[in-house]
Amino acid sequence: MTSTDVTEPIIRVENLTAGYDGRTILENVSFTVNRGEVFVILGGSGCGKSTLLKHMIGLYDVAGGHVYIEGNDIVAADGPAREAILRKFGVMYQSGALFGSMTLLENVRLPMEAFTSLDMEQMDLLARMKLSLVGLVQFTGHLPNEISGGMQKRAAIARAMALDPAILFLDEPSAGLDPITSAELDALIRRLADNLGVTFVIVTHELASIYAIADRVIMLDKRVKGIIAEGDPRRLRDESADPYVRQFFHREAEVAAPT
Amino acid sequence: MANAALAVSDAPDGRLIVALSGRLVADTIPTVWRDALKAVRGAVSRPVTVDAAGVDYCDGAGIALLVDLLREPRQAPIEVANLAPAFHALLAQYDPHNLEHDLDPPPPRRPAIEEIGRTASTVLRDLRTQVEFLGQATSALAAAIRHPSTIRWRDVGAVCERVGADAVPIVALIAFLLGVILAFQSAVPMKRYGAEIFVADLIGIGMVRELGALITAILLAGRTGAAFAAEIGTMRVNQEIDALTTMGLDPVRFLVSTRVIAAVLMTPLLTLFAMLVGTLGGAFTMLSYGVPFVTFVKEVDGIVNFQDFVAGWVKSFVFAIAIAGIGCLRGLQTAAGASAVGDSATRAVVSGLVLIVIIDGVFAVIYFMLDI
């Protein structure tokens, strides 16, 4: 949340190779994410979308390559330097990953307690405001297991936004949500990007959401272990020369080999 | 850019002007926030204008400061003026007077007497559940014995490895140390009467009749009972138990039978091992008191008869069923959430230990009545 210059790259991924247990899932993947844009990583199931996200946020060690966040390489960073990079972004995990023993308010307040000097009353108000942004202000005293899965996701977004990070990584934010809540979430993402200049990196394959929020997308494919398309989603849908990409955007069932 | 700053002044028309300036971000505003709130609270009956013309930047905490000023109960109006449009759009997202309403606030604490009643009722219900589960598990085991092909023997093998083979080092260590400690503690007074040799009798009888089975059962409760509860509890949280049920597979038969069978197969073997290693620990200690190994073994052989051995060994089968069963039951009873799995594991260990004491007591009474 520092600037709204949309042309400056805030994330640079260079020749990223990643996988698990010696199995390579992504090979030599390179792309940039501009400041303030809503950037969507999409692709079929098992193509490595979540793997890419987890390696971008430094959750797993990469097999090769670099991930620069605001110019700092998270792959090489260690100790305080790494902590400083981690504070630049918030993450919403696919399952929400809320702390089950804490109320929603306490979940959202936790990063504030750790990293700000605000009073408890100030943090409480701020946490309530974050929860009100995602429509959960009436549930601040609830435990995560007392609310629905969709509500847990929204609370997780509120927690990811607790420290007003410059970048928000969202893993499948719309999955499991009803269409109205999903549309509200899309509007929230767009509003935060437009008004605050927050950069979003979102993993999803919900086409309706992609058209509603994405400035730019990359499409991954497991057969090439990397990116097969990049750009505006509508243009890719209408103009891509790759039949697999068009098929994906048109939701056609027949499987075509990627070019 | 400048840090957050506050200037309070009076306007000619009687309004209070609270002028904010600089960067209103979480790291810089706590003091400004407190001061601004104090100024606004001190002018409840005067109109207030919060002048944000000098605000360079506002993060979520900066907006929260403005919201906090706007939501203060007051008699005269308050307004925010000259806030940059981008930040005004952020402020407009919130309804300052609608941030405190919990739909379902936590229930008030109940009176102590009601809590006692509820706890007693829960304990009784739990006891009933345990009896029901014992019936279900027995029925599933009986079905398994009648139709062995219905059992997933590969799973039984894997559980046997975890319950049995993997537990050998800890059982050996504890049993050996128990033998050593028992021998040391009893040898000192015995030596006064020149009766060191009878330490062998104590160790032999104690290990074979009582301690071998008991120590194995306690280790089983802490290790295997907790593991079963955590494993099945995680399956419950991940809805795997629901998936089994909707597939028409009985979770008791599918998950509990394999674990109870594995425990029943392995616990008696571990008990035998504990009896042997514990006695060896005693023999090892008595070497330092001048009792040769052969003499010790001969003494044990003379005092411990087959009846003693059976009396101790039979318990291990019952312990195995009880501990594995209660571990699985606690796992199946797991509520939602990550902490629930931990709770189940704890409850499995506590219930397992309580059951061990009860079962051991029952055996003691039976043996007394049968004069064994």
Side-chain angles (χ1 to χ4, degrees), chain A residues 1-3 87 98 100-101 115-119 121-126 128-133 136-142 145-146 162-164 188 191-192 194-196, chain B residues 23 25-31 33-34 57-65 67-68 71 86-87 89-90 93-95 98-106 336-339:
Chain A
M1 229 160 48
T2 54
S3 159
R87 280 198 61 183
L98 295 169
S101 59
F115 296 111
T116 74
S117 52
L118 295 173
D119 297 345
E121 293 80 22
Q122 296 170 347
M123 286 189 285
D124 274 356
L125 173 63
L126 193 47
R128 282 179 185 281
M129 286 166 59
K130 301 290 178 193
L131 285 165
S132 82
L133 272 185
L136 290 175
V137 75
Q138 291 176 312
F139 298 89
T140 50
H142 283 61
N145 64 19
E146 294 169 341
L163 296 176
D164 296 316
L188 170 69
R191 202 165 60 235
L192 291 171
D194 293 341
N195 294 344
L196 293 175
Chain B
R23 282 174 64 81
V25 295
D27 293 335
T28 60
I29 62 164
T31 314
W33 189 330
R34 279 191 292 271
Y57 181 73
C58 228
D59 73 353
I63 298 294
L65 158 60
V67 168
D68 206 13
R71 70 180 185 148
F87 304 130
L90 296 178
Q93 295 178 123
Y94 304 102
D95 176 358
N98 195 22
L99 291 167
E100 294 287 351
H101 298 298
D102 266 5
L103 197 63
D104 190 9
S339 60

Side-chain angles (χ1 to χ4, degrees), chain B:
Chain B
M1 281 193 239
N3 273 345
L6 170 74
V8 182
S9 59
D10 296 314
D13 62 354
R15 302 177 74 85
L16 182 74
I17 306 292
V18 177
L20 295 165
S21 59
R23 282 174 64 81
L24 301 185
V25 295
D27 293 335
T28 60
I29 62 164
T31 314
V32 167
W33 189 330
R34 279 191 292 271
D35 293 345
L37 203 55
K38 202 170 151 189
V40 170
R41 280 179 182 159
V44 178
S45 51
R46 286 172 66 189
V48 174
T49 298
V50 180
D51 183 4
V55 173
D56 302 320
Y57 181 73
C58 228
D59 73 353
I63 298 294
L65 158 60
L66 298 174
V67 168
D68 206 13
L69 298 180
L70 290 175
R71 70 180 185 148
E72 272 296 304
R74 44 188 304 108
Q75 294 151 11
I78 182 169
E79 59 169 2
V80 174
N82 305 320
L83 184 65
F87 304 130
H88 201 274
L90 296 178
L91 181 61
Q93 295 178 123
Y94 304 102
D95 176 358
H97 302 290
N98 195 22
L99 291 167
E100 294 287 351
H101 298 298
D102 266 5
L103 197 63
D104 190 9
R109 271 190 79 79
R110 298 189 190 96
I113 194 80
E114 190 182 334
E115 284 291 342
I116 293 168
R118 281 177 182 272
T119 307
S121 155
T122 308
V123 168
L124 287 176
R125 258 205 317 273
D126 187 50
L127 204 64
R128 184 188 160 142
T129 312
Q130 287 187 36
V131 172
E132 278 176 8
F133 180 77
L134 187 70
Q136 274 183 303
T138 310
S139 151
L141 273 179
I145 291 164
R146 274 201 313 275
H147 309 287
S149 60
T150 60
I151 293 294
R152 296 167 58 85
W153 290 105
R154 190 183 290 179
D155 289 355
V156 173
V159 180
C160 277
E161 187 183 339
R162 280 188 285 139
V163 174
D166 293 351
V168 166
I170 187 73
V171 169
L173 177 72
I174 302 292
F176 187 82
L177 287 178
L178 193 69
V180 168
I181 293 163
L182 259 184
F184 263 126
Q185 294 294 328
S186 50
V188 175
M190 294 280 207
K191 195 173 170 31
R192 281 193 218 156
Y193 306 103
E196 300 99 299
I197 187 63
F198 294 115
V199 171
D201 296 31
L202 187 148
I203 300 282
I205 292 283
M207 276 294 166
V208 171
R209 272 192 78 103
E210 194 65 47
L211 293 175
L214 203 60
I215 198 69
T216 309
I218 289 170
L219 287 171
L220 193 74
R223 205 178 162 276
T224 308
F228 286 174
E231 195 178 359
I232 296 177
T234 307
M235 292 177 78
R236 164 69 77 196
V237 172
N238 290 340
Q239 294 186 304
E240 291 171 47
I241 306 286
D242 296 345
L244 278 177
T245 309
T246 48
M247 278 180 215
L249 297 167
D250 177 14
V252 173
R253 197 157 168 181
F254 195 80
L255 298 170
V256 178
S257 305
T258 49
R259 284 166 176 78
V260 173
I261 289 171
V264 169
L265 290 176
M266 289 297 110
T267 310
L269 295 179
L270 284 173
T271 301
L272 277 180
F273 184 66
M275 290 172 179
L276 182 68
V277 174
T279 310
L280 279 178
F284 178 76
T285 307
M286 293 315 292
L287 284 176
S288 64
Y289 281 85
V291 178
F293 188 72
V294 176
T295 313
F296 187 95
V297 171
K298 202 167 161 44
E299 186 64 27
V300 170
D301 187 37
I303 193 76
V304 178
N305 58 30
F306 187 68
Q307 193 175 290
D308 293 324
F309 168 70
V310 172
W313 203 48
V314 162
K315 286 190 214 174
S316 67
F317 289 89
V318 183
F319 285 150
I321 293 172
I323 293 163
I326 199 76
C328 295
L329 172 64
R330 294 308 184 208
L332 289 170
Q333 287 174 330
T334 303
S339 60
V341 176
D343 290 344
S344 293
T346 307
R347 290 176 68 214
V349 175
V350 173
S351 308
L353 293 175
V354 170
L355 276 179
I356 289 169
V357 173
I358 293 172
I359 291 167
D360 207 37
V362 170
F363 268 107
V365 172
I366 292 171
Y367 289 162
F368 176 75
M369 292 175 77
L370 296 178
D371 199 19
I372 294 174

